[in-house]
Amino acid sequence: MIPVITIDGPTASGKGTVASRVAAALGFGLLDSGALYRLTALSALEAEIALDDAPAIAALARVLPVKFEDERILVAGRPVQDAIRQEAIGNAASKIAALPAVREALVELQHGFRQAPGLVADGRDMGTVIFPDATLKVFLTASVHARAERRYKQLIEKGFPANMLALLQDLKERDARDTERAVAPLKPAEGAHLLETSELTIEQSVEQVLDWWRHWAGTQGK
Ligand code: CDP
């Protein structure tokens, strides 16, 4: 069985950065599942499809012409890795992610990322729904203030406008939507290791996940 490490958690908890560093340290592939919801949202907005038109958005998601190439994400050959990071796209992503048909349409694409020698998958439902048989499950959290600061820095670094108060409000709304939705709500998977990162550096968070992984590998005699 190809090993999978799932890293789930709320918006701006740092799971993307931790996931990509853990994947690099182990030589594993990476699935940024949030990017798939963001890409679908971007494509829907560009096609002027209403964000509550579940069948139309699901149809779009099922045939997303997406390619992941190192740092780049290409949709029909166009690099969109920066465009999808805008707050407006994140918001639209969280809306369409509440539609069951859209989630269903993205399942197969996500399973396809499970390739040797292993996969690190980050998102909301990696451990609960997409890879319930994962080897190691991590649930990453941080206080809403720590997360707003991280998101602020991330946006400014990418040259996008950012406002701390608006971001705080936005994070709270997104948390509510992600945890209260009926399908695949954000919650720790059974058996997940909880990692509270408000006071941790990225390196410390990465080291903790790798420690858990080594511990598991040790019990397998690997
Ligand atoms: O950066 P942030 O954590 O806000 O977002 P993301 O991980 O890129 O995901 C964007 C949106 O997609 C989130 O607000 C979630 O609502 C949704 N999502 C989801 O429902 N399930 C996933 N596995 C990943 C993301």
Side-chain angles (χ1 to χ4, degrees):
M1 191 52 113
I2 296 169
V4 180
I5 300 176
T6 58
I7 304 186
D8 289 304
T11 185
S13 54
K15 35 179 210 319
T17 310
V18 171
S20 85
R21 296 209 189 177
V22 169
L26 297 173
F28 283 11
L30 180 68
L31 165 60
D32 171 1
S33 62
L36 301 179
Y37 289 94
R38 287 172 180 265
L39 287 170
T40 305
L42 179 73
S43 305
L45 289 171
E46 287 184 350
E48 296 185 6
I49 298 173
L51 293 182
D52 58 357
D53 187 345
I57 300 176
L60 198 75
R62 208 164 276 119
V63 296
L64 264 188
V66 59
K67 246 176 100 179
F68 287 82
E69 265 185 17
D70 300 323
E71 304 285 281
R72 298 207 307 166
I73 304 176
L74 305 170
V75 173
R78 171 168 70 112
V80 295
Q81 65 280 354
D82 289 332
I84 61 166
R85 293 296 145 204
Q86 297 173 74
E87 225 21 41
I89 302 296
N91 260 321
S94 123
K95 284 182 190 146
I96 61 150
L99 305 171
V102 173
R103 305 198 70 85
E104 181 55 40
L106 289 171
V107 170
E108 211 179 295
L109 180 59
Q110 296 178 81
H111 284 164
F113 279 79
R114 188 172 199 165
Q115 289 175 18
L119 175 69
V120 181
D122 90 74
R124 303 291 189 285
D125 61 342
M126 297 296 96
T128 51
V129 177
I130 303 295
F131 301 110
D133 64 340
T135 319
L136 170 66
K137 299 180 183 183
V138 177
F139 193 81
L140 219 113
T141 56
S143 69
V144 74
H145 281 93
R147 293 189 281 131
E149 269 170 32
R150 288 175 190 172
R151 175 55 47 88
Y152 182 83
K153 280 193 199 145
Q154 196 185 28
L155 288 169
I156 297 291
E157 270 165 25
K158 290 201 183 291
F160 292 128
N163 170 295
M164 203 53 191
L165 277 179
L167 275 176
L168 267 172
Q169 186 59 27
D170 200 55
L171 289 193
K172 287 180 188 161
E173 279 170 21
R174 197 104 61 96
D175 280 353
R177 225 171 13 235
D178 286 350
T179 49
E180 288 160 18
R181 71 180 172 218
V183 272
L186 175 67
K187 61 166 189 226
E190 219 181 297
H193 293 262
L194 299 186
L195 184 55
E196 158 55 59
T197 68
S198 304
E199 308 288 329
L200 298 184
T201 62
I202 289 168
E203 289 71 24
Q204 289 170 322
S205 307
V206 170
E207 208 34 53
Q208 177 58 261
V209 177
L210 289 174
D211 264 356
W212 284 327
W213 172 259
R214 288 185 208 111
H215 180 260
W216 174 81
T219 63
Q220 304 295 303
K222 289 186 181 173

